[in-house]
Amino acid sequence: MPMYNIPDPAAIRREIDASYERCRKYGVDPEDERNPRQKRLTSEQLDQRLELNREFLAIAAAQMQELYQFVAGAGFAVNIADRDGYILHDIGDKPILDELFRGNCCPGYRWTEKDVGTSVISLALEREIPVQINDDEHYCRRGYGHTCSAAPVFDPDRKLIGVIALSGNADHVHPHTPGMVITAAQAINTQLRIQKTSLELRLHNNYMRAIIDSIDSGVMAIDQNGVINNISNQGNSILQWQADLEGKPLADIIGKQIDIDAMLDPGFEFVDREVFIRAPGKTIQLICTAKPIFDANGRMQGFIIVFNEIKRLRRLVNKMAGTQARFTFDDIVGVSPAFQESKRLAMTAA
């Protein structure tokens, strides 16, 4: 579980002492300045780790850069390690980066207690707590002369995903440094949660889009200003509108047949209403149903219109019933102007 309270000095000292004991059991040499047996990734393995942690690093790198901007030029470096302790990325002033490189504190090397003894990365990984270690508090000599702070980073499921660390010369030790690192770690956690929620919403929207597009009827979403903000593929097919309908006022295609202002009333809805749409080059007769859309607070945000062409519905009914029309308009005989106009209107409606 994420823990971001800075332990008091006595608690930190107990954690360091316990780490020393583990390091002795592992057989770590305290005089070590560069362990030749330290685990190191090949270039190919490092590339695989970077790809595996791509989403995490994309967010972490931005926070690393922001953290570094506060200390740039003061002899500090920032690095990030994955859940297994492998350093994946670092940035900082060149002199301190060169020092860290000589101690194997650079991308590709593993920084666990078994590899490097007590360090901020290894202790933050082991105990999943923020920690600051200064100068000779490091178990191995390679850490002497440095002040380091680190904080664990957790994924949206509250599982450890890595560690972010800030290192500098020991004479630059400052009590506020752990707080800066903790803030960066929390920011990464927050961004990871936001990213997960965004991906889940996108997947949900894709499911909904697939369901809507599988419906034989057209579906159109109208916002609270009466503007079309979404239309299904089947809806576009029915309307045969050459230009993009999204962003157009609904009134542009239905005229005054429906009172748009009335539709924006939360209690307004209708079922199976006949509507004529002015499509390019022709008029299409539709049967429509409208339902309001509400947000989580019960406020109306727009409405959904489900529609289909009456001709298509009639063809479907005839197909299901196994019946066909017994006569056509050609069978209707009449010569008066009024009769011919009525026949023309009937043919249009059919």
Side-chain angles (χ1 to χ4, degrees):
M1 180 176 179
M3 176 181 173
Y4 285 118
N5 294 324
I6 302 176
D8 61 65
I12 286 288
R13 187 66 251 179
R14 288 193 296 271
E15 292 287 356
I16 292 174
D17 290 342
S19 177
Y20 284 0
E21 184 61 30
R22 291 191 295 271
C23 293
R24 282 190 284 269
K25 290 181 180 179
Y26 296 145
V28 179
D29 182 3
E31 297 300 317
D32 172 44
E33 293 188 357
R34 188 169 190 174
N35 180 6
R37 297 183 301 278
Q38 184 177 356
K39 289 285 187 179
R40 182 186 183 185
L41 300 172
T42 65
S43 295
E44 182 179 350
Q45 290 171 333
L46 178 57
D47 288 341
Q48 291 172 349
R49 290 257 172 180
L50 292 172
E51 178 59 28
L52 184 65
N53 291 276
R54 180 166 50 86
E55 294 179 357
F56 165 47
L57 282 175
I59 293 172
Q63 291 302 322
M64 290 173 67
Q65 184 64 43
E66 188 169 331
L67 176 59
Y68 173 62
Q69 287 177 355
F70 285 106
V71 295
F76 281 90
V78 186
N79 49 38
I80 195 92
D82 68 9
R83 58 168 54 92
D84 296 319
Y86 286 101
I87 295 177
L88 301 179
H89 182 53
D90 60 3
I91 57 173
D93 297 343
K94 189 176 186 307
I96 186 67
L97 285 176
D98 290 342
E99 283 185 39
L100 296 176
F101 176 81
R102 288 192 290 271
N104 291 349
C105 188
C106 54
Y109 283 97
R110 192 178 72 173
W111 273 65
T112 65
E113 289 180 337
K114 291 181 179 180
D115 297 290
V116 299
T118 305
S119 70
V120 290
I121 293 178
S122 61
L123 188 51
L125 282 171
E126 178 68 27
R127 300 291 295 140
E128 298 187 5
I129 58 172
V131 62
Q132 183 178 53
I133 297 178
N134 301 311
D135 200 9
D136 58 2
E137 289 179 332
H138 293 88
Y139 185 79
C140 293
R141 187 170 293 278
R142 77 167 78 188
Y144 290 7
H146 296 131
T147 178
C148 306
S149 299
V153 179
F154 300 90
D155 67 16
D157 297 320
R158 296 192 170 190
K159 295 179 180 178
L160 182 70
I161 192 173
V163 168
I164 184 170
L166 178 66
S167 302
N169 294 323
D171 56 356
H172 292 155
V173 62
H174 196 285
H176 291 165
T177 307
M180 294 168 60
V181 177
I182 287 173
T183 299
Q186 289 177 320
I188 296 172
N189 293 345
T190 300
Q191 288 298 315
L192 287 171
R193 287 197 301 271
I194 292 172
Q195 183 181 65
K196 180 184 179 183
T197 301
S198 177
L199 291 173
E200 289 173 346
L201 286 173
R202 191 178 305 170
L203 178 61
H204 177 74
N205 288 339
N206 288 342
Y207 273 118
M208 292 301 298
R209 187 78 192 190
I211 291 171
I212 289 172
D213 283 340
S214 69
I215 298 173
D216 190 48
S217 299
V219 180
M220 184 186 298
I222 315 298
D223 68 17
Q224 56 189 341
N225 297 312
V227 174
I228 301 169
N229 63 18
N230 212 325
I231 184 169
S232 67
N233 291 334
Q234 182 65 15
N236 278 318
S237 177
I238 292 172
L239 298 180
Q240 301 175 19
W241 204 280
Q242 295 176 351
D244 189 359
L245 281 173
E246 294 181 7
K248 276 185 170 294
L250 179 62
D252 283 3
I253 64 172
I254 67 170
K256 297 181 179 180
Q257 298 173 78
I258 301 176
D259 186 344
I260 303 299
D261 291 334
M263 289 187 73
L264 296 174
D265 186 297
F268 184 91
E269 62 179 60
F270 59 77
V271 177
D272 294 340
R273 175 176 292 189
E274 186 177 1
V275 175
F276 290 88
I277 297 291
R278 295 195 297 268
K282 64 176 180 177
T283 298
I284 302 175
Q285 186 183 17
L286 303 177
I287 191 77
C288 302
T289 294
K291 296 284 184 180
I293 302 172
F294 300 95
D295 64 18
N297 296 316
R299 293 188 294 263
M300 184 178 178
Q301 298 298 313
F303 51 92
I304 290 287
I305 296 179
V306 180
F307 59 92
N308 215 323
E309 192 174 3
I310 287 182
K311 284 184 179 180
R312 298 179 73 249
L313 293 176
R314 286 175 178 161
R315 286 196 297 268
L316 179 61
V317 169
N318 288 336
K319 182 177 179 180
M320 294 180 66
T323 59
Q324 297 293 331
R326 297 181 182 276
F327 59 88
T328 68
F329 284 105
D330 291 336
D331 296 318
I332 303 175
V333 179
V335 295
S336 71
F339 181 85
Q340 290 295 327
E341 177 62 16
S342 297
K343 182 177 177 180
R344 185 188 68 78
L345 291 174
M347 291 175 67
T348 300

